[in-house]
Coordinates of all heavy atoms in Angstrom, one line a residue:
T508 N 0.8 -1.2 0.0 CA 0.0 0.0 0.0 C 0.9 1.2 0.0 O 1.1 1.9 1.0 CB -0.9 0.0 1.2 OG1 -0.1 -0.1 2.4 CG2 -1.9 -1.1 1.2
G509 N 1.4 1.6 -1.2 CA 2.3 2.7 -1.3 C 3.7 2.5 -0.6 O 4.3 1.5 -0.8
D510 N 4.2 3.4 0.1 CA 5.5 3.3 0.7 C 5.3 2.8 2.2 O 5.5 3.6 3.1 CB 6.2 4.7 0.7 CG 7.6 4.6 1.2 OD1 8.2 3.5 1.1 OD2 8.1 5.6 1.7
A511 N 4.9 1.6 2.3 CA 4.6 1.1 3.7 C 5.7 0.0 4.0 O 5.3 -1.1 4.4 CB 3.2 0.5 3.7
R512 N 6.9 0.3 4.0 CA 8.0 -0.6 4.4 C 7.9 -0.8 5.9 O 7.6 0.2 6.6 CB 9.3 -0.1 3.9 CG 9.5 -0.1 2.4 CD 10.7 0.6 2.1 NE 10.5 2.0 2.3 CZ 11.3 3.0 1.9 NH1 12.4 2.7 1.3 NH2 11.1 4.3 2.2
P513 N 8.2 -2.0 6.4 CA 8.1 -2.1 7.9 C 9.3 -1.4 8.5 O 10.4 -1.2 8.0 CB 8.3 -3.6 8.1 CG 8.9 -4.2 6.8 CD 8.5 -3.2 5.7
H514 N 9.0 -0.8 9.7 CA 9.9 -0.1 10.5 C 10.1 -0.9 11.8 O 9.1 -1.1 12.5 CB 9.5 1.3 10.8 CG 9.5 2.2 9.6 ND1 9.6 3.5 9.8 CD2 9.4 1.9 8.3 CE1 9.5 4.1 8.6 NE2 9.4 3.1 7.7
V515 N 11.3 -1.4 12.1 CA 11.5 -2.3 13.3 C 12.6 -1.6 14.2 O 13.5 -1.1 13.7 CB 12.0 -3.7 12.8 CG1 12.3 -4.6 14.0 CG2 10.9 -4.3 11.9
V516 N 12.4 -1.7 15.5 CA 13.4 -1.2 16.4 C 13.8 -2.4 17.3 O 13.0 -3.2 17.7 CB 12.8 -0.1 17.3 CG1 11.6 -0.5 18.1 CG2 13.9 0.5 18.2
I517 N 15.2 -2.4 17.6 CA 15.7 -3.3 18.6 C 16.3 -2.5 19.7 O 17.0 -1.5 19.4 CB 16.7 -4.4 18.0 CG1 17.9 -3.8 17.4 CG2 16.0 -5.4 17.1 CD1 18.9 -4.8 17.0
A518 N 16.1 -2.8 20.9 CA 16.6 -2.1 22.0 C 17.3 -3.0 23.0 O 16.8 -4.1 23.3 CB 15.5 -1.3 22.7
M519 N 18.4 -2.6 23.5 CA 19.2 -3.3 24.5 C 19.6 -2.3 25.6 O 19.3 -1.1 25.4 CB 20.5 -3.9 23.9 CG 20.2 -5.1 22.9 SD 19.7 -4.7 21.3 CE 21.0 -3.6 20.6
N520 N 20.2 -2.8 26.6 CA 20.7 -1.9 27.7 C 22.2 -2.1 27.9 O 22.6 -2.4 29.0 CB 19.9 -2.1 28.9 CG 18.6 -1.4 28.9 OD1 18.6 -0.1 29.0 ND2 17.5 -2.1 28.8
F521 N 23.0 -1.9 26.9 CA 24.4 -2.0 27.0 C 25.0 -0.7 27.6 O 24.4 0.3 27.4 CB 25.1 -2.3 25.7 CG 24.6 -3.5 25.0 CD1 24.5 -3.6 23.6 CD2 24.2 -4.7 25.7 CE1 24.1 -4.7 22.9 CE2 23.7 -5.8 25.0 CZ 23.7 -5.8 23.7
A522 N 26.1 -0.9 28.4 CA 26.7 0.3 28.9 C 27.3 1.2 27.8 O 27.9 0.6 26.9 CB 27.8 -0.1 29.9
P523 N 27.1 2.5 27.8 CA 27.7 3.3 26.7 C 29.2 3.3 26.9 O 29.8 3.1 28.0 CB 27.1 4.7 27.0 CG 26.6 4.7 28.4 CD 26.3 3.2 28.7
P524 N 29.9 3.6 25.8 CA 31.4 3.6 25.9 C 31.9 4.8 26.7 O 31.3 5.8 26.8 CB 31.8 3.7 24.4 CG 30.7 4.4 23.7 CD 29.5 3.9 24.5
M525 N 33.0 4.6 27.3 CA 33.7 5.6 28.1 C 34.3 6.6 27.0 O 34.7 6.1 26.0 CB 34.7 5.1 29.0 CG 34.2 4.1 30.0 SD 33.0 5.0 31.1 CE 33.9 5.1 32.6
F526 N 34.5 7.8 27.4 CA 35.0 8.8 26.4 C 36.4 8.3 25.9 O 37.3 8.0 26.7 CB 35.1 10.2 27.1 CG 35.7 11.2 26.2 CD1 34.8 11.8 25.2 CD2 37.0 11.6 26.3 CE1 35.3 12.7 24.3 CE2 37.5 12.6 25.4 CZ 36.6 13.1 24.4
G527 N 36.6 8.3 24.6 CA 37.8 7.9 24.0 C 38.1 6.4 24.0 O 39.2 6.0 23.6
Q528 N 37.2 5.6 24.5 CA 37.4 4.1 24.5 C 36.5 3.4 23.6 O 35.4 3.9 23.3 CB 37.2 3.6 26.0 CG 38.1 4.2 27.0 CD 39.6 3.8 26.7 OE1 39.8 2.6 26.4 NE2 40.5 4.7 26.9
P529 N 36.8 2.3 23.1 CA 35.9 1.5 22.2 C 34.8 0.9 23.0 O 34.9 0.7 24.2 CB 36.8 0.4 21.6 CG 37.9 0.2 22.5 CD 38.1 1.6 23.2
S530 N 33.6 0.7 22.4 CA 32.5 0.1 23.0 C 32.6 -1.4 22.7 O 32.1 -1.9 21.7 CB 31.2 0.7 22.5 OG 30.1 0.1 23.1
L531 N 33.1 -2.2 23.7 CA 33.2 -3.6 23.5 C 32.1 -4.3 24.2 O 31.6 -4.0 25.2 CB 34.6 -4.1 24.1 CG 35.8 -3.4 23.5 CD1 37.1 -3.8 24.2 CD2 36.0 -3.6 22.0
L532 N 31.6 -5.4 23.5 CA 30.5 -6.2 24.0 C 31.1 -7.5 24.5 O 32.0 -8.1 23.9 CB 29.5 -6.5 22.9 CG 28.8 -5.2 22.3 CD1 27.8 -5.7 21.3 CD2 28.1 -4.5 23.4
S533 N 30.5 -8.1 25.6 CA 30.8 -9.4 26.1 C 30.2 -10.4 25.1 O 29.3 -10.1 24.3 CB 30.3 -9.6 27.5 OG 28.9 -9.7 27.5
Q534 N 30.6 -11.7 25.3 CA 30.0 -12.8 24.5 C 28.5 -12.9 24.7 O 27.7 -13.0 23.8 CB 30.6 -14.1 24.8 CG 30.2 -15.2 23.9 CD 30.9 -16.5 24.2 OE1 31.8 -16.6 25.0 NE2 30.5 -17.6 23.6

């Protein structure tokens, strides 16, 4: 129906990176 592409959001609660440091994730 026209431009009705699905819009999906994923949300997590990871700690934000510290200033100047990479944002590394655990396994």
Side-chain angles (χ1 to χ4, degrees):
T508 57
D510 186 26
R512 294 170 288 190
H514 293 204
V515 178
V516 61
I517 59 171
M519 289 80 57
N520 276 293
F521 302 148
M525 300 298 252
F526 182 76
Q528 299 294 318
S530 180
L531 303 176
L532 300 178
S533 70
Q534 185 176 355

